[in-house]
Amino acid sequence: MATARVLVSDPLAEEGLAILKEACDVDVKTGLKEDELCGIIGEYDALIVRSGTEVTAKVIAAGKRLKFIGRAGVGVDNVDMDAATKQGVIVANAPEGNTLAATEHTMAMMLSLARNIPQATASLKKKEWKRNKFMGVELNEKTLGIVGFGRIGREVAKRANAMDMKCVAYDPFISKERAAQLGVKVMTIEELFKVADVITVHTPLIKETKHVINAASIATMKDGVRIINCARGGIIDEKALYDALKSGKVAGAALDVFETEPPLESPLLTLDNVIVTPHLGASTVEAQKNVAISVAKQWVEVLHGGSAKYVVNAPMVMPEQAEILEPFAELAEKMGRFAIQTVEGRLAAVECIYGGELSAYAGSMKYVTRLALKGLLDPILQMPVNLVNAEFVAKERGIAVSETVTAESHGFKNLITIKIKTDKTEMSVSGSVFAKGRSRIVSVNQYTMDLIPEGFVIVSGHMDKPGVIGRASTMLGKHNINIAGMQVGRITPGEEALMVLNVDSEVPENVITEFCSLQGIFSAKFARISDKKI
């Protein structure tokens, strides 16, 4: 058997290179342009990169022997995931390698902010001795609000608890019980903003988190609150933060990341109560070593027939089952996306029930369950969720997952039912795949539907009375939102019913609020199932 070959196309810590060299032939060639990389990648079984190399579809297509792409770091924006998955190439990253670096940077920023250390240092270096100017505050018994309770958030809480701070957290996917085990009280983000003396954010930058700290939310915070961002630029509305810092509403801010980097023209840099660093969260010797070792070990594991620990793209279905299971897996994921965006509360438990002809594939339904979990967890989670890690991610967050296979299918040839329980309510969504792969959501809770699971939808509880649907349609038309399809389910005429509208565009939050205010409407939620219009 020929020795495997690995190309390292970005600088990598020697500790990682040493692991690779023990298992295979290694070439280090950095600074390659796309055509240069395409010209040689066909000779290699694995490619190890950091952020400097763009692994495009063209590069992946040229990698005829390529089995593994390792990203020594967290982000995989520089890798064409669709092309890699289509070609069956495993893409893995090293998400834990910089956890402690980011954690410790957050703690350093918090302590520096509390005691004015950077400002005092600068003053003394100017040969000033102004002790009274830099009066600080103690963190002991202060309330630390942690927005995003993933790996870094949990590590921050561990250290803050050791300093006798009171830790509260907001995260849609951490149960109260799991958080309590870590000495943290879970609450809504609105509650957190009201009680925290110090707020630190540890979320990805997605639609739900962009400008989550803004003028309106700052207005609800304590006077003299301190704010820290070592996560992603854009989570904080920098204009609103600047205004709050100037007015004194916010006593100070510590920022490692910015909406535009480098932020050389940012007015925040002109304020004495702001401390800043140039995106140094992961910049430690240890972190760079850790990510190199992690990705190297994962490739060696794959080389020896094992699995990479942090795969970020889903492996293919076995060829003999692909035609049968793929439509169900796709439907299950869309059902999960629909459910999590329209249910109230924090996810606590998931049950996937497979009925009818699916009972013949009882041993393979875990594949479909994991795609359902991906749909439930991926929309707002802080890390990529895929076929490989979905079950682990759910378990880590204390979400109970169960799977049932039955011959019963309630009149359908096949039936998938996803039952979810949150800390506030329960919800059930059922779907079926018909001839030629045509899929439908056939019921939501007790309401019968024939819903195409694509695009954008508004899900609304309403009174089954004349004029209610008409008023809703007119209001959407006023906002230039086109209705592409409508499903209405009811149990008893004249009583509560459920309406699901397929619409051609995203619906702003203010429109949903107005929708809810209409006479006869009880509730309304917007959900993005896919980017495909019906």
Side-chain angles (χ1 to χ4, degrees):
M1 181 178 174
T3 304
R5 299 187 67 195
V6 176
L7 175 63
V8 178
S9 61
D10 288 319
L12 194 72
E14 285 297 328
E15 292 83 355
L17 289 173
I19 293 170
L20 293 172
K21 289 175 180 177
E22 285 184 6
C24 47
D25 292 336
V26 179
D27 291 330
V28 179
K29 298 180 180 180
T30 61
L32 298 173
K33 299 191 182 306
E34 182 183 52
D35 288 342
E36 294 173 319
L37 187 53
C38 287
I40 62 173
I41 192 64
E43 304 170 14
Y44 295 94
D45 302 280
L47 173 64
I48 308 297
V49 303
R50 289 181 63 190
S51 59
T53 300
E54 289 291 328
V55 189
T56 64
K58 183 178 177 182
V59 170
I60 292 168
K64 302 301 183 184
R65 290 171 50 178
L66 205 57
K67 303 177 183 67
F68 180 89
I69 298 169
R71 164 68 166 98
V74 180
V76 289
D77 296 345
N78 55 321
V79 179
D80 190 317
M81 301 295 289
D82 290 339
T85 301
K86 184 177 180 180
Q87 196 162 309
V89 179
I90 295 170
V91 181
N93 66 350
E96 290 187 335
N98 63 7
T99 296
L100 291 181
T103 298
E104 291 182 0
H105 196 70
T106 300
M107 300 304 294
M109 294 287 262
M110 180 164 63
L111 288 163
S112 296
L113 189 60
R115 300 304 298 270
N116 302 304
I117 291 173
Q119 299 93 326
T121 299
S123 175
L124 188 53
K125 285 188 173 183
K126 290 191 292 185
K127 304 189 184 305
E128 298 173 343
W129 188 260
K130 298 180 178 179
R131 297 175 64 195
N132 292 337
K133 182 178 179 181
F134 303 110
M135 183 68 66
V137 296
E138 294 182 5
L139 296 175
N140 178 59
E141 295 192 356
K142 296 293 191 299
T143 298
L144 175 63
I146 304 171
V147 180
F149 205 55
R151 292 187 184 92
I152 296 170
R154 292 195 292 271
E155 290 296 328
V156 167
K158 187 189 300 183
R159 287 153 180 78
N161 279 330
M163 294 167 59
D164 286 331
M165 297 187 78
K166 300 173 183 177
C167 292
V168 299
Y170 165 72
D171 191 305
F173 292 95
I174 291 289
S175 67
K176 292 181 179 179
E177 293 74 19
R178 173 61 175 153
Q181 292 171 359
L182 300 170
V184 176
K185 182 179 179 180
V186 171
M187 56 181 57
T188 68
I189 196 165
E190 293 82 8
E191 291 170 332
L192 183 150
F193 286 153
K194 290 177 182 177
V195 303
D197 299 296
V198 182
I199 296 171
T200 179
V201 293
H202 299 285
T203 72
L205 179 63
I206 56 177
K207 177 185 173 183
E208 289 78 9
T209 62
K210 182 174 174 62
H211 289 182
V212 70
I213 294 180
N214 52 48
S217 60
I218 289 173
T220 69
M221 297 176 188
K222 286 185 175 181
D223 291 343
V225 68
R226 288 169 168 82
I227 298 174
I228 303 163
N229 186 7
C230 293
R232 291 288 185 271
I235 295 171
I236 298 174
D237 181 339
E238 292 180 3
K239 171 64 167 60
L241 178 61
Y242 174 84
D243 291 341
L245 286 159
K246 287 281 287 184
S247 71
K249 173 68 177 182
V250 176
L255 307 173
D256 184 50
V257 290
F258 304 86
E259 293 192 70
T260 300
E261 296 184 357
L264 304 183
E265 305 302 320
S266 173
L268 289 167
L269 301 186
T270 67
L271 300 180
D272 291 337
N273 53 348
V274 174
I275 64 175
V276 293
T277 48
H279 206 144
L280 298 179
S283 295
T284 66
V285 172
E286 293 83 358
Q288 297 310 307
K289 180 180 75 173
N290 290 341
V291 296
I293 290 172
S294 173
V295 78
K297 284 184 174 179
Q298 289 183 78
W299 160 240
V300 172
E301 185 67 25
V302 170
L303 184 61
H304 292 158
S307 301
K309 187 176 182 180
Y310 299 114
V311 176
V312 292
N313 64 333
M316 298 293 185
V317 186
M318 294 296 290
E320 61 270 22
Q321 294 187 347
E323 187 176 349
I324 298 169
L325 291 183
E326 278 294 344
F328 295 101
E330 183 177 330
L331 173 60
E333 181 177 351
K334 291 175 179 177
M335 288 166 60
R337 287 183 177 276
F338 173 89
I340 199 61
Q341 294 176 79
T342 55
V343 73
E344 291 284 349
R346 185 177 296 107
L347 188 60
V350 180
E351 181 184 12
C352 295
I353 304 170
Y354 303 105
E357 63 185 18
L358 291 176
S359 61
Y361 303 95
S364 302
M365 296 316 295
K366 187 173 288 294
Y367 168 73
V368 181
T369 297
R370 290 187 180 182
L371 267 294
L373 289 174
K374 179 180 184 295
L376 286 163
L377 298 173
D378 192 51
I380 57 173
L381 206 54
Q382 301 173 32
M383 60 183 291
V385 181
N386 56 47
L387 179 62
V388 176
N389 67 1
E391 206 164 36
F392 171 81
V393 170
K395 182 178 180 181
E396 186 180 44
R397 282 155 177 76
I399 300 168
V401 180
S402 60
E403 182 181 299
T404 301
V405 178
T406 174
E408 180 59 53
S409 59
H410 303 285
F412 295 92
K413 289 185 64 178
N414 57 75
L415 190 69
I416 299 174
T417 299
I418 299 176
K419 293 183 177 181
I420 61 176
K421 182 182 294 186
T422 74
D423 59 350
K424 293 184 178 180
T425 188
E426 296 181 9
M427 182 180 186
S428 175
V429 180
S430 294
S432 185
V433 176
F434 299 90
K436 299 181 180 180
R438 182 173 59 90
S439 62
R440 293 289 187 272
I441 291 176
V442 297
S443 70
V444 178
N445 293 329
Q446 70 269 40
Y447 299 106
T448 300
M449 293 277 150
D450 185 31
L451 176 67
I452 300 173
E454 298 286 359
F456 312 115
V457 297
I458 299 171
V459 181
S460 172
H462 68 280
M463 183 61 69
D464 183 33
K465 298 288 186 182
V468 175
I469 293 176
R471 284 191 291 272
S473 302
T474 300
M475 190 277 290
L476 291 175
K478 181 183 72 174
H479 290 282
N480 202 32
I481 294 170
N482 190 52
I483 298 174
M486 176 187 295
Q487 292 291 315
V488 178
R490 66 181 187 177
I491 306 300
T492 304
E495 297 187 2
E496 187 170 348
L498 187 72
M499 170 171 58
V500 182
L501 301 173
N502 291 95
V503 293
D504 284 341
S505 59
E506 295 202 28
V507 182
E509 190 173 335
N510 66 299
V511 177
I512 292 294
T513 301
E514 183 179 345
F515 194 103
C516 289
S517 71
L518 295 174
Q519 183 182 352
I521 300 290
F522 303 134
S523 63
K525 289 275 192 177
F526 172 76
R528 182 192 192 118
I529 302 176
S530 73
D531 292 325
K532 180 181 178 182
K533 293 183 180 180
I534 66 169

